[in-house]
Amino acid sequence: MDLAINGGKPVREKPFPARIMFDKEEKEAVMKLIDKGSQEATASALDRYGEAPTEVDLYEKDFAAYFGVKFATAVSSGTAAIHSALGALMLEPGDEVITSPITDPGTIAPILFQNCIPVFADVNYETLNIDPRSIEERITERTKVVIPVHLAGQPANMGPIMDIAKKHNLIVIEDCAQAHGAKSKGKYVGTIGDISCFSLMSGKHMTSGGQGGMVITNNEKFYWNAKRFADRGKPFNSTEEGNLFLGLNYRMTQLEAVIGRIQLKKLSVVKERRQRIADKLREGMKEFLAVKMWRFIENAEVNPWFCFLHYDEERMKVDKETFAKALQAEGIPVGAHYIKPMYQYPWLRGKNSYGKSRCPWKCPRGRDIDYKNSCPSAEKSLDDHMTLHIHECWTEEEVDDTLRAIKKVEEAYKK
C-alpha cells in the first residue's frame, strides 16, 4: 500500500474531532454572573473583599475539597502559581532550585524572578520525568527547593523524591500543570509535596477560561504567604495595616472562577476518557516494531495531556522526522518533536535575565552554572520520542485509525 506522503490514499481523510471543552453549563454560569454584575445593587461588590463569598472564594474551596487539601489560592496563570509558591517560601537570592529540564518556561522564569538559581536534574529516559538519583547528585549547600514536573500527565517518581527532600531538608513544589487528577500510589499529584501548582490555561485537562492557576497546600504558613504574594503582599491573616512584603498582582477574576468551578466537576470524566484512549493505544502498539507508548511507572494513574511515542530508529530505514511526516500525511496528529531541554533555548543558554547583568548567576551568592550537555538522558529521550495529541473527544474510530496508520508506515519503512 502506497504511503500518503508518496501520493497514496491516506488512512484518515477527514479531520480528527475538535476538542469541545464548554457546553451549556459554562454558558449558564457565565451569564448568571454577568446578570448579577449588571444589577446596580451588587455591581460594586463583585470584586471587593469583605463581602459574601465570591466565585473565586468558592472555586478555591471546591478545588481544595476535590484534592483533599486544606488550602487553595487561585491565581492568574500556571506561571503565577509557581511564582506565588516560590514567593511563599521567603528564599534568599542565590538559593538553588532543582527541577526538570523538560518543562515550560513558566516553571523556570519564577525561579529567576526570585533571584534564585535553576539547577537541572536529568530525567529517566523511558518516562521523561525527573530522575531522583540525579536530584540527589545536584544538591549543594544552597539547594532549598525541588520542583518535580509531572510531565504529559504522568506522575514523577514522588516516593524517592520525598525521601531525598526529607534527608536534605528541602521543600518540594509539585508542578501539576500537565497532570490534573493523576495519582501516584493512590494520592493525587499535588497532595504529596509541600506545596503544589496547577495551570488552568485553555487546552489543559480543565481550564478557568483561557488562563488561570491554582496553588494548593496543607501548610498554613505557605498558604497565607502565597495568597499575600499573589496580591502585592497584602496583610491577609495579619494585624498589620499595610502590605507585608514584595509581591505581584496575580489575582484570578470572578469570570475565570465561575468557569473553573464547572470545569472542575468534569475532570473525573475527562480523566477516565483519556485513560481509556491511552490504554487502547498502548495495547494496540504492543506488537509494533518501532513505535511504542512511553513507559508508565508502577502504581500510577496517568491522565495523559498528550502521549509520548518512543521511536526506535534502528528498526526503520528512515529517521524520526521522516516517519512523523509520513504519519501526518496519513492524517494523524503526530509531532516529530516536543521541546528542547530548557537550557538549550537562547534565554537560558545566554543567561538573558536582567539587562546584561546575567543575574542571578553573576550576582552575589550566585553560581555561574554551565548547563551545556548537563542532562544527556533528557536530550537523548527527547530525540527519540514523538508526540501524539489525544483528547477526551476521541472515539474508537480515532484510536483505530491511529494504530492503522502507524502500522502502515512501519510496514513501508521497516528494514
Side-chain angles (χ1 to χ4, degrees):
M1 186 181 296
D2 290 338
L3 294 178
I5 200 169
N6 297 326
K9 181 180 174 63
V11 167
R12 178 89 178 196
E13 295 186 279
K14 65 180 180 180
F16 271 63
R19 185 183 179 205
I20 307 299
M21 297 186 70
F22 300 151
D23 57 30
K24 65 178 182 180
E25 290 185 78
E26 285 88 357
K27 182 177 180 180
E28 289 173 357
V30 167
M31 293 309 299
K32 183 177 179 180
L33 179 68
I34 292 173
D35 288 343
K36 180 180 178 182
S38 300
Q39 299 170 21
E40 183 177 353
T42 61
S44 63
L46 272 177
D47 198 29
R48 196 167 66 208
Y49 292 101
E51 304 290 340
T54 66
E55 289 294 332
V56 173
D57 298 327
L58 295 171
Y59 188 25
E60 291 172 340
K61 290 179 180 179
D62 291 348
F63 208 97
Y66 186 98
F67 288 98
V69 297
K70 294 178 180 178
F71 308 108
T73 295
V75 293
S76 56
S77 69
T79 303
I82 295 286
H83 201 181
S84 298
L86 284 166
L89 305 184
M90 299 298 173
L91 302 172
E92 296 294 332
D95 284 347
E96 297 183 1
V97 179
I98 297 176
T99 191
S100 171
I102 307 179
T103 188
D104 183 87
T107 308
I108 311 304
I111 300 171
L112 297 171
F113 275 116
Q114 291 305 103
N115 282 296
C116 294
I117 308 294
V119 176
F120 295 107
D122 212 345
V123 306
N124 178 280
Y125 173 81
E126 294 180 302
T127 68
L128 291 90
N129 269 331
I130 195 167
D131 187 338
R133 294 171 299 179
S134 185
I135 291 174
E136 190 151 37
E137 291 170 357
R138 305 196 182 191
I139 293 172
T140 72
E141 61 181 9
R142 293 186 182 173
T143 305
K144 297 296 186 293
V145 181
V146 178
I147 305 180
V149 177
H150 303 297
L151 188 67
Q154 173 166 204
N157 194 0
M158 291 301 296
I161 291 173
M162 295 307 295
D163 290 342
I164 291 167
K166 183 177 180 180
K167 176 181 175 182
H168 295 277
N169 195 29
L170 306 178
I171 295 168
V172 175
I173 299 175
E174 293 183 72
D175 184 341
C176 309
Q178 297 184 3
H180 302 178
K183 288 185 177 181
S184 177
K185 295 183 178 179
K187 293 183 177 181
Y188 282 117
V189 298
T191 68
I192 304 166
D194 299 289
I195 187 168
S196 302
C197 305
F198 292 77
S199 167
L200 299 166
M201 68 172 287
S202 60
K204 294 293 170 62
H205 303 89
M206 58 179 173
T207 181
S208 54
Q211 286 291 343
M214 194 73 71
V215 182
I216 66 174
T217 184
N218 284 313
N219 186 305
E220 187 170 4
K221 178 181 177 181
F222 293 166
Y223 163 68
W224 286 114
N225 276 351
K227 192 173 186 66
R228 292 162 181 161
F229 185 90
D231 200 354
R232 297 153 289 177
K234 281 187 176 179
F236 303 121
N237 196 44
S238 170
T239 58
E240 294 289 345
E241 295 182 359
N243 292 16
L244 301 179
F245 51 76
L246 180 67
L248 291 164
N249 186 352
Y250 282 148
R251 291 167 61 192
M252 178 179 281
T253 68
Q254 307 302 322
L255 190 60
E256 290 170 323
V258 78
I259 294 171
R261 292 185 70 199
I262 301 299
Q263 287 276 296
L264 182 63
K265 296 175 183 177
K266 299 178 177 181
L267 177 58
S268 295
V269 172
V270 169
K271 174 182 172 181
E272 187 277 328
R273 289 176 178 173
R274 285 176 175 249
Q275 286 177 325
R276 186 170 67 246
I277 291 163
D279 288 345
K280 289 177 180 178
L281 288 167
R282 180 178 299 280
E283 184 65 27
M285 292 182 196
K286 282 184 176 179
E287 304 304 320
F288 287 176
L289 291 173
V291 178
K292 305 285 185 183
M293 289 275 278
W294 87 117
R295 186 176 74 83
F296 291 172
I297 61 173
E298 293 183 4
N299 300 313
E301 290 183 25
V302 179
N303 186 7
W305 189 44
F306 60 88
C307 295
F308 280 113
L309 302 182
H310 183 265
Y311 180 66
D312 187 351
E313 189 172 319
E314 292 185 0
R315 293 175 175 267
M316 295 287 112
K317 294 184 289 187
V318 298
D319 61 17
K320 185 183 71 168
E321 185 86 31
T322 303
F323 195 96
K325 286 181 178 178
L327 280 178
Q328 292 165 6
E330 299 295 337
I332 308 305
V334 164
H337 307 285
Y338 178 45
I339 58 173
K340 296 185 290 186
M342 279 293 106
Y343 55 78
Q344 290 186 353
Y345 288 97
W347 70 298
L348 283 175
R349 188 176 69 239
K351 296 176 180 171
N352 303 323
S353 52
Y354 306 96
K356 297 180 180 180
S357 69
R358 300 183 78 198
C359 281
W361 296 275
K362 288 288 191 179
C363 283
R365 293 193 78 246
R367 181 161 68 99
D368 196 9
I369 300 174
D370 183 3
Y371 295 122
K372 188 176 180 180
N373 302 322
S374 61
C375 298
S377 182
E379 295 177 24
K380 174 65 173 169
S381 188
L382 288 168
D383 284 345
D384 292 350
H385 283 83
M386 302 179 288
T387 58
L388 174 64
H389 302 281
I390 71 167
H391 57 73
E392 64 275 10
C393 297
W394 276 31
T395 67
E396 295 276 356
E397 183 180 7
E398 283 69 54
V399 174
D400 291 344
D401 285 348
T402 298
L403 294 171
R404 287 197 299 121
I406 295 173
K407 184 175 182 180
K408 176 184 176 182
V409 176
E410 278 198 352
E411 286 295 317
Y413 288 144
K414 68 181 180 181
K415 288 183 177 178

